[in-house]
Protein backbone atom coordinates (compact mmCIF):
# COMPACT_ATOMS: atom_id res chain seq x y z
CA UNK A 1 0.00 0.00 0.00
CA UNK A 2 2.83 2.37 0.79
CA UNK A 3 4.50 1.68 -2.54
CA UNK A 4 1.22 2.26 -4.35
CA UNK A 5 0.68 5.59 -2.60
CA UNK A 6 4.25 6.67 -3.40
CA UNK A 7 3.70 5.72 -7.05
CA UNK A 8 0.50 7.78 -7.20
CA UNK A 9 2.25 10.80 -5.71
CA UNK A 10 5.14 10.50 -8.19
CA UNK A 11 2.67 10.12 -11.04
CA UNK A 12 0.86 13.30 -9.98
CA UNK A 13 4.11 15.29 -9.89
CA UNK A 14 5.19 13.88 -13.26
CA UNK A 15 1.81 14.70 -14.81
CA UNK A 16 1.94 18.26 -13.50
CA UNK A 17 5.45 18.76 -14.92
CA UNK A 18 4.48 17.25 -18.29
CA UNK A 19 1.39 19.46 -18.49
CA UNK A 20 3.45 22.58 -17.86
CA UNK A 21 6.03 21.54 -20.46
CA UNK A 22 3.44 20.83 -23.16
CA UNK A 23 1.52 24.03 -22.46
CA UNK A 24 4.70 26.11 -22.78
CA UNK A 25 5.74 24.31 -25.97
CA UNK A 26 2.33 24.81 -27.62
CA UNK A 27 2.34 28.49 -26.68
CA UNK A 28 5.93 28.96 -27.90
CA UNK A 29 5.15 27.22 -31.20
CA UNK A 30 2.90 30.16 -32.09
CA UNK A 31 5.90 32.49 -31.83
CA UNK A 32 8.93 30.64 -33.20
CA UNK A 33 10.30 27.06 -33.27
CA UNK A 34 13.40 28.19 -31.40
CA UNK A 35 11.21 29.41 -28.54
CA UNK A 36 9.81 25.90 -28.07
CA UNK A 37 13.29 24.40 -27.93
CA UNK A 38 14.42 27.01 -25.42
CA UNK A 39 11.45 26.41 -23.11
CA UNK A 40 11.95 22.64 -23.33
CA UNK A 41 15.59 23.01 -22.27
CA UNK A 42 14.49 25.36 -19.50
CA UNK A 43 11.99 22.81 -18.13
CA UNK A 44 14.57 20.02 -18.30
CA UNK A 45 17.13 22.16 -16.49
CA UNK A 46 14.64 23.04 -13.75
CA UNK A 47 13.71 19.36 -13.36
CA UNK A 48 17.37 18.34 -13.18
CA UNK A 49 18.11 20.95 -10.52
CA UNK A 50 15.13 19.94 -8.38
CA UNK A 51 15.86 16.20 -8.62
CA UNK A 52 19.56 16.69 -8.02
CA UNK A 53 19.05 18.89 -4.95
CA UNK A 54 16.37 16.60 -3.47
CA UNK A 55 18.41 13.42 -3.99
CA UNK A 56 21.56 15.03 -2.59
CA UNK A 57 19.76 16.40 0.48
CA UNK A 58 17.89 13.14 1.06
CA UNK A 59 21.08 11.07 0.83
CA UNK A 60 22.81 13.49 3.22
CA UNK A 61 20.11 13.28 5.90
CA UNK A 62 19.49 9.54 5.50
CA UNK A 63 23.21 8.86 5.90
CA UNK A 64 23.39 10.81 9.16
CA UNK A 65 20.22 9.18 10.49
CA UNK A 66 21.74 5.77 9.77
CA UNK A 67 24.84 6.75 11.75
CA UNK A 68 22.64 7.85 14.67
CA UNK A 69 20.70 4.59 14.39
CA UNK A 70 23.87 2.65 15.15
CA UNK A 71 24.09 4.36 18.54
CA UNK A 72 20.53 3.41 19.54
CA UNK A 73 20.19 0.24 21.57
CA UNK A 74 16.41 -0.02 21.41
CA UNK A 75 13.36 2.21 21.20
CA UNK A 76 10.19 1.36 23.08
CA UNK A 77 6.76 2.79 22.35
CA UNK A 78 3.66 2.54 24.59
CA UNK A 79 0.85 0.30 23.36
CA UNK A 80 -2.64 -0.16 24.80
CA UNK A 81 -3.90 -3.75 25.09
CA UNK A 82 -7.40 -3.89 26.63
CA UNK A 83 -7.02 -2.08 29.98
CA UNK A 84 -3.26 -2.61 30.15
CA UNK A 85 -0.53 -0.34 28.78
CA UNK A 86 2.62 -2.16 27.71
CA UNK A 87 5.85 -0.95 26.13
CA UNK A 88 6.84 -2.59 22.87
CA UNK A 89 10.37 -2.42 21.42
CA UNK A 90 10.65 -1.41 17.78
CA UNK A 91 12.56 -3.79 15.55
CA UNK A 92 15.78 -2.62 13.80
CA UNK A 93 14.01 -2.88 10.43
CA UNK A 94 11.30 -0.50 11.62
CA UNK A 95 13.91 1.99 12.84
CA UNK A 96 15.77 1.84 9.53
CA UNK A 97 12.56 2.37 7.60
CA UNK A 98 11.68 5.33 9.81
CA UNK A 99 15.14 6.85 9.35
CA UNK A 100 14.87 6.43 5.58
CA UNK A 101 11.44 8.03 5.39
CA UNK A 102 12.42 10.89 7.71
CA UNK A 103 15.60 11.60 5.73
CA UNK A 104 13.73 11.49 2.41
CA UNK A 105 11.10 13.89 3.75
CA UNK A 106 13.76 16.31 5.00
CA UNK A 107 15.54 16.09 1.65
CA UNK A 108 12.29 16.90 -0.16
CA UNK A 109 11.66 19.99 1.96
CA UNK A 110 15.24 21.28 1.70
CA UNK A 111 15.93 20.42 -1.94
CA UNK A 112 12.60 21.51 -3.42
CA UNK A 113 12.88 24.96 -4.98
CA UNK A 114 16.33 24.50 -6.49
CA UNK A 115 14.68 24.91 -9.90
CA UNK A 116 14.53 28.65 -9.18
CA UNK A 117 18.31 28.71 -9.71
CA UNK A 118 17.99 27.87 -13.41
CA UNK A 119 18.73 31.42 -14.57
CA UNK A 120 21.86 31.69 -12.42
CA UNK A 121 23.07 28.23 -13.49
CA UNK A 122 22.49 28.93 -17.20
CA UNK A 123 24.28 32.29 -17.01
CA UNK A 124 27.26 30.79 -15.18
CA UNK A 125 27.40 27.87 -17.65
CA UNK A 126 27.60 30.13 -20.69
CA UNK A 127 29.74 32.78 -18.96
CA UNK A 128 30.16 36.49 -19.63
CA UNK A 129 33.32 38.42 -20.46
CA UNK A 130 33.67 42.19 -20.60
CA UNK A 131 37.44 42.33 -21.18
CA UNK A 132 37.62 44.68 -18.20
CA UNK A 133 39.12 43.52 -14.88
CA UNK A 134 38.55 44.93 -11.43
CA UNK A 135 41.46 47.04 -10.10
CA UNK A 136 41.97 45.04 -6.86
CA UNK A 137 41.65 41.30 -7.50
CA UNK A 138 42.16 41.44 -11.28
CA UNK A 139 39.08 39.37 -12.12
CA UNK A 140 37.08 40.03 -15.27
CA UNK A 141 33.79 41.76 -14.52
CA UNK A 142 31.99 38.78 -16.04
CA UNK A 143 33.02 36.72 -12.99
CA UNK A 144 31.00 39.01 -10.71
CA UNK A 145 28.00 38.93 -13.06
CA UNK A 146 27.89 35.22 -13.92
CA UNK A 147 30.06 32.94 -11.73
CA UNK A 148 29.93 34.62 -8.31
CA UNK A 149 26.11 34.34 -7.89
CA UNK A 150 26.31 30.60 -8.58
CA UNK A 151 29.15 30.09 -6.09
CA UNK A 152 27.11 31.95 -3.45
CA UNK A 153 24.06 29.75 -4.11
CA UNK A 154 26.10 26.55 -3.84
CA UNK A 155 27.81 27.75 -0.67
CA UNK A 156 24.48 28.69 0.92
CA UNK A 157 23.00 25.28 0.08
CA UNK A 158 26.00 23.41 1.50
CA UNK A 159 25.96 25.53 4.68
CA UNK A 160 22.21 24.95 5.11
CA UNK A 161 22.61 21.16 4.79
CA UNK A 162 25.45 21.16 7.31
CA UNK A 163 23.69 23.31 9.89
CA UNK A 164 20.46 21.31 9.65
CA UNK A 165 22.38 18.05 10.00
CA UNK A 166 24.18 19.40 13.09
CA UNK A 167 20.90 20.43 14.70
CA UNK A 168 19.21 17.13 13.83
CA UNK A 169 22.07 14.97 15.09
CA UNK A 170 22.47 16.89 18.34
CA UNK A 171 18.73 16.65 19.02
CA UNK A 172 18.67 12.89 18.42
CA UNK A 173 21.75 12.20 20.52
CA UNK A 174 20.28 14.21 23.39
CA UNK A 175 17.00 12.30 23.03
CA UNK A 176 18.66 8.87 23.17
CA UNK A 177 21.05 9.84 25.98
CA UNK A 178 24.33 9.82 24.06
CA UNK A 179 24.74 13.50 24.97
CA UNK A 180 23.83 14.74 28.42
CA UNK A 181 24.91 17.18 31.09
CA UNK A 182 26.56 15.45 34.06
CA UNK A 183 28.25 17.10 37.01
CA UNK A 184 28.42 20.50 35.31
CA UNK A 185 30.12 19.05 32.23
CA UNK A 186 28.96 17.80 28.85
CA UNK A 187 29.23 14.02 28.55
CA UNK A 188 29.33 12.34 25.14
CA UNK A 189 29.74 8.80 23.98
CA UNK A 190 32.61 8.01 21.64
CA UNK A 191 30.17 7.34 18.81
CA UNK A 192 28.37 10.68 19.13
CA UNK A 193 31.66 12.58 19.59
CA UNK A 194 33.10 11.11 16.40
CA UNK A 195 29.92 11.83 14.44
CA UNK A 196 29.70 15.43 15.66
CA UNK A 197 33.41 15.92 15.04
CA UNK A 198 33.12 15.05 11.36
CA UNK A 199 30.06 17.27 11.07
CA UNK A 200 32.13 20.12 12.50
CA UNK A 201 34.76 19.34 9.87
CA UNK A 202 32.09 19.86 7.19
CA UNK A 203 30.96 23.07 8.90
CA UNK A 204 34.54 24.37 9.05
CA UNK A 205 35.00 23.68 5.33
CA UNK A 206 31.79 25.57 4.55
CA UNK A 207 32.89 28.55 6.64
CA UNK A 208 36.33 28.61 5.01
CA UNK A 209 34.62 28.51 1.61
CA UNK A 210 32.41 31.43 2.59
CA UNK A 211 35.33 33.49 3.86
CA UNK A 212 37.22 32.86 0.61
CA UNK A 213 34.26 34.33 -1.33
CA UNK A 214 34.01 37.43 0.88
CA UNK A 215 36.63 39.56 -0.98
CA UNK A 216 34.72 39.09 -4.24
CA UNK A 217 31.39 39.79 -2.56
CA UNK A 218 32.73 43.00 -0.98
CA UNK A 219 34.34 44.21 -4.20
CA UNK A 220 31.25 43.27 -6.20
CA UNK A 221 29.07 45.44 -3.98
CA UNK A 222 26.93 42.58 -2.61
CA UNK A 223 27.27 44.05 0.91
CA UNK A 224 26.71 47.65 -0.17
CA UNK A 225 29.05 50.17 -1.74
CA UNK A 226 32.61 49.04 -0.89
CA UNK A 227 34.58 51.36 1.38
CA UNK A 228 37.85 52.21 -0.38
CA UNK A 229 39.65 52.90 2.92
CA UNK A 230 38.76 49.58 4.53
CA UNK A 231 38.73 47.41 1.40
CA UNK A 232 42.31 46.14 1.60
CA UNK A 233 41.87 45.50 5.33
CA UNK A 234 38.67 43.53 4.71
CA UNK A 235 40.40 41.40 2.09
CA UNK A 236 43.25 40.63 4.51
CA UNK A 237 40.74 39.82 7.27
CA UNK A 238 38.87 37.42 4.99
CA UNK A 239 42.07 35.60 4.07
CA UNK A 240 43.04 35.40 7.76
CA UNK A 241 39.61 33.96 8.60
CA UNK A 242 40.12 31.30 5.93
CA UNK A 243 43.25 30.19 7.78
CA UNK A 244 41.48 30.25 11.17
CA UNK A 245 38.54 28.25 9.79
CA UNK A 246 40.98 25.73 8.30
CA UNK A 247 42.61 25.39 11.72
CA UNK A 248 39.20 24.82 13.35
CA UNK A 249 38.50 22.16 10.71
CA UNK A 250 41.74 20.32 11.54
CA UNK A 251 41.03 20.59 15.27
CA UNK A 252 37.56 19.11 14.70
CA UNK A 253 39.08 16.20 12.79
CA UNK A 254 41.46 15.52 15.69
CA UNK A 255 38.53 15.76 18.12
CA UNK A 256 36.61 13.21 16.05
CA UNK A 257 39.55 10.79 16.22
CA UNK A 258 40.64 11.50 19.79
CA UNK A 259 38.95 13.25 22.70
CA UNK A 260 40.85 16.57 22.43
CA UNK A 261 38.04 18.69 23.87
CA UNK A 262 40.14 21.73 24.80
CA UNK A 263 41.75 21.92 21.35
CA UNK A 264 38.42 21.84 19.50
CA UNK A 265 36.73 24.30 21.86
CA UNK A 266 39.67 26.71 21.67
CA UNK A 267 39.83 26.61 17.87
CA UNK A 268 36.12 27.32 17.43
CA UNK A 269 36.17 30.03 20.10
CA UNK A 270 39.07 31.71 18.31
CA UNK A 271 37.16 31.53 15.02
CA UNK A 272 34.06 33.11 16.56
CA UNK A 273 35.98 35.97 18.19
CA UNK A 274 38.07 36.63 15.06
CA UNK A 275 34.97 36.69 12.88
CA UNK A 276 33.15 39.16 15.14
CA UNK A 277 36.14 41.51 15.39
CA UNK A 278 37.00 41.24 11.70
CA UNK A 279 33.46 41.94 10.51
CA UNK A 280 32.08 44.44 13.00
CA UNK A 281 34.97 46.14 14.83
CA UNK A 282 37.94 46.75 12.53
CA UNK A 283 36.30 47.87 9.23
CA UNK A 284 34.44 50.87 10.76
CA UNK A 285 37.67 52.05 12.44
CA UNK A 286 39.62 52.19 9.18
CA UNK A 287 36.81 53.24 6.84
CA UNK A 288 37.33 56.19 4.48
CA UNK A 289 34.15 56.72 2.42
CA UNK A 290 35.67 59.84 0.82
CA UNK A 291 38.38 57.83 -0.99
CA UNK A 292 37.83 56.72 -4.58
CA UNK A 293 37.96 52.98 -5.12
CA UNK A 294 39.63 53.36 -8.54
CA UNK A 295 41.02 55.98 -10.90
CA UNK A 296 38.50 58.27 -12.66
CA UNK A 297 39.43 56.78 -16.04
CA UNK A 298 38.55 53.29 -14.80
CA UNK A 299 35.26 54.53 -13.36
CA UNK A 300 34.40 56.08 -16.72
CA UNK A 301 35.16 52.73 -18.37
CA UNK A 302 32.74 51.09 -15.93
CA UNK A 303 30.08 53.64 -16.82
CA UNK A 304 30.54 52.90 -20.50
CA UNK A 305 30.09 49.18 -19.85
CA UNK A 306 27.07 49.73 -17.60
CA UNK A 307 25.22 51.94 -20.09
CA UNK A 308 26.35 50.22 -23.28
CA UNK A 309 28.52 53.09 -24.47
CA UNK A 310 31.56 51.02 -25.35
CA UNK A 311 31.56 52.14 -28.98
CA UNK A 312 31.02 55.81 -28.18
CA UNK A 313 33.77 58.03 -29.64
CA UNK A 314 34.31 61.81 -29.59
CA UNK A 315 34.76 63.20 -33.10
CA UNK A 316 34.82 66.62 -34.73
CA UNK A 317 32.93 67.28 -37.94
CA UNK A 318 35.06 68.56 -40.80
CA UNK A 319 34.11 72.01 -42.05
CA UNK A 320 32.98 72.46 -45.62
CA UNK A 321 32.89 75.53 -47.84
CA UNK A 322 29.56 75.06 -49.59
CA UNK A 323 26.69 73.93 -47.39
CA UNK A 324 24.64 71.11 -48.87
CA UNK A 325 21.12 71.61 -49.99
CA UNK A 326 18.77 71.65 -47.07
CA UNK A 327 16.39 68.78 -46.82
CA UNK A 328 12.86 69.33 -45.72
CA UNK A 329 11.64 68.27 -42.30
CA UNK A 330 10.12 64.83 -41.91
CA UNK A 331 6.52 64.56 -42.85
CA UNK A 332 4.15 64.37 -39.89
CA UNK A 333 2.02 61.87 -41.76
CA UNK A 334 2.59 58.11 -41.78
CA UNK A 335 4.33 56.18 -39.00
CA UNK A 336 6.40 59.02 -37.58
CA UNK A 337 4.64 61.79 -35.73
CA UNK A 338 5.23 63.58 -32.45
CA UNK A 339 3.33 61.28 -30.10
CA UNK A 340 5.02 58.13 -31.46
CA UNK A 341 8.48 59.67 -31.26
CA UNK A 342 7.88 60.80 -27.67
CA UNK A 343 6.78 57.29 -26.68
CA UNK A 344 9.85 55.74 -28.33
CA UNK A 345 12.12 58.07 -26.38
CA UNK A 346 10.59 57.26 -22.98
CA UNK A 347 12.49 55.12 -20.48
CA UNK A 348 12.14 53.96 -16.89
CA UNK A 349 13.98 56.93 -15.41
CA UNK A 350 13.47 59.72 -17.98
CA UNK A 351 10.41 61.75 -18.96
CA UNK A 352 10.03 63.22 -22.43
CA UNK A 353 9.46 66.99 -22.37
CA UNK A 354 9.04 67.70 -26.08
CA UNK A 355 9.79 66.45 -29.59
CA UNK A 356 10.28 68.56 -32.69
CA UNK A 357 11.19 68.06 -36.34
CA UNK A 358 14.55 69.36 -37.59
CA UNK A 359 17.23 68.90 -40.24
CA UNK A 360 20.75 67.68 -39.41
CA UNK A 361 23.30 69.11 -41.83
CA UNK A 362 26.61 67.33 -42.30
CA UNK A 363 29.47 67.20 -44.81
CA UNK A 364 27.86 66.88 -48.21
CA UNK A 365 24.41 65.79 -47.09
CA UNK A 366 21.43 66.67 -44.93
CA UNK A 367 19.16 64.34 -43.04
CA UNK A 368 15.70 64.91 -41.54
CA UNK A 369 15.65 64.05 -37.83
CA UNK A 370 13.58 64.39 -34.70
CA UNK A 371 14.97 66.29 -31.73
CA UNK A 372 13.78 65.01 -28.33
CA UNK A 373 14.28 66.69 -24.96
CA UNK A 374 14.17 64.41 -21.93
CA UNK A 375 14.29 65.30 -18.23
Amino acid sequence: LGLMLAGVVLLLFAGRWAAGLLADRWWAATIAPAAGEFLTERHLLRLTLDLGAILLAAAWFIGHLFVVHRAIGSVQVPRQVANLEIREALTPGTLLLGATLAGALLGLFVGAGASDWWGTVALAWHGVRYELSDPILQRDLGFYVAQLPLWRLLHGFALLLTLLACGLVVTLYVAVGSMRWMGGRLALSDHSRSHLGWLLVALGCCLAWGYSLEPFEILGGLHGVPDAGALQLQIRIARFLVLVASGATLASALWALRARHALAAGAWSLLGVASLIGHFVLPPLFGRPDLLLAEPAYLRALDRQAYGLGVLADTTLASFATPPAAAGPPSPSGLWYERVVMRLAESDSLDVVAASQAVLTGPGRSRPVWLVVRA
Side-chain angles (χ1 to χ4, degrees):
L1 181 61
L3 292 176
M4 289 176 60
L5 290 175
V8 170
V9 171
L10 291 177
L11 186 61
L12 289 174
F13 277 104
R16 182 179 181 274
W17 179 83
L21 171 63
L22 292 176
D24 280 350
R25 281 185 61 86
W26 292 335
W27 168 78
T30 63
I31 301 175
E37 296 176 3
F38 167 76
L39 288 179
T40 301
E41 293 176 356
R42 173 180 174 269
H43 276 277
L44 291 175
L45 177 59
R46 288 171 62 92
L47 178 65
T48 302
L49 291 175
D50 266 339
L51 289 179
I54 291 173
L55 292 177
L56 178 63
W60 172 260
F61 290 121
I62 291 174
H64 286 290
L65 289 175
F66 279 3
V67 175
V68 174
H69 168 264
R70 294 178 56 190
I72 300 176
S74 64
V75 175
Q76 296 181 349
V77 294
R79 183 179 178 184
Q80 195 77 22
V81 178
N83 295 329
L84 299 176
E85 180 177 330
I86 62 175
R87 303 187 67 83
E88 182 179 4
L90 296 179
T91 63
T94 304
L95 292 178
L96 285 177
L97 178 61
T100 304
L101 293 177
L105 190 62
L106 282 173
L108 178 63
F109 280 119
V110 175
S115 57
D116 295 336
W117 303 350
W118 75 271
T120 303
V121 172
L123 181 61
W125 179 266
H126 289 283
V128 180
R129 286 196 64 84
Y130 293 98
E131 303 302 333
L132 183 64
S133 301
D134 70 83
I136 308 298
L137 300 175
Q138 302 301 318
R139 286 294 188 105
D140 188 88
L141 299 185
F143 170 81
Y144 298 93
V145 174
Q147 275 75 36
L148 182 58
L150 178 60
W151 286 116
R152 295 183 74 240
L153 280 177
L154 294 176
H155 169 257
F157 186 65
L159 184 61
L160 176 63
L161 288 179
T162 305
L163 291 176
L164 288 178
C166 288
L168 176 65
V169 166
V170 169
T171 302
L172 292 177
Y173 279 135
V174 170
V176 301
S178 292
M179 291 180 61
R180 55 188 181 274
W181 201 260
M182 296 180 58
R185 298 178 61 182
L186 182 64
L188 300 92
S189 65
D190 290 339
H191 182 88
S192 61
R193 173 182 55 78
S194 178
H195 191 184
L196 288 174
W198 292 116
L199 269 178
L200 288 179
V201 169
L203 180 59
C205 292
C206 287
L207 292 178
W209 183 9
Y211 292 139
S212 66
L213 293 177
E214 276 192 5
F216 304 105
E217 295 176 354
I218 295 170
L219 194 58
L222 298 179
H223 302 294
V225 179
D227 190 321
L231 181 61
Q232 292 291 348
L233 175 64
Q234 290 174 309
I235 292 175
R236 294 190 183 97
I237 290 174
R239 291 171 178 171
F240 173 73
L241 290 176
V242 171
L243 295 177
V244 179
S246 301
T249 303
L250 292 176
S252 300
L254 290 176
W255 184 59
L257 297 174
R258 299 180 182 179
R260 302 291 179 88
H261 307 299
L263 178 63
W268 282 97
S269 300
L270 176 62
L271 178 60
V273 172
S275 181
L276 289 175
I277 294 177
H279 287 118
F280 301 106
V281 178
L282 294 181
L285 295 178
F286 295 91
R288 287 287 305 277
D290 56 323
L291 291 180
L292 285 177
L293 184 63
E295 297 295 329
Y298 181 82
L299 298 179
R300 287 195 297 271
L302 285 181
D303 284 338
R304 288 196 296 270
Q305 287 285 355
Y307 294 102
L309 303 177
V311 296
L312 186 65
D314 295 329
T315 59
T316 303
L317 288 177
S319 60
F320 48 90
T322 303
S331 172
S333 62
L335 294 176
W336 301 100
Y337 53 93
E338 183 177 355
R339 185 178 301 174
V340 172
V341 173
M342 291 179 68
R343 289 189 63 182
L344 287 174
E346 289 178 351
S347 66
D348 59 349
S349 58
L350 295 174
D351 296 324
V352 177
V353 178
S356 178
Q357 303 172 15
V359 176
L360 180 64
T361 302
R365 61 178 178 173
S366 297
R367 179 172 298 176
V369 296
W370 284 91
L371 296 180
V372 179
V373 178
R374 300 193 295 188

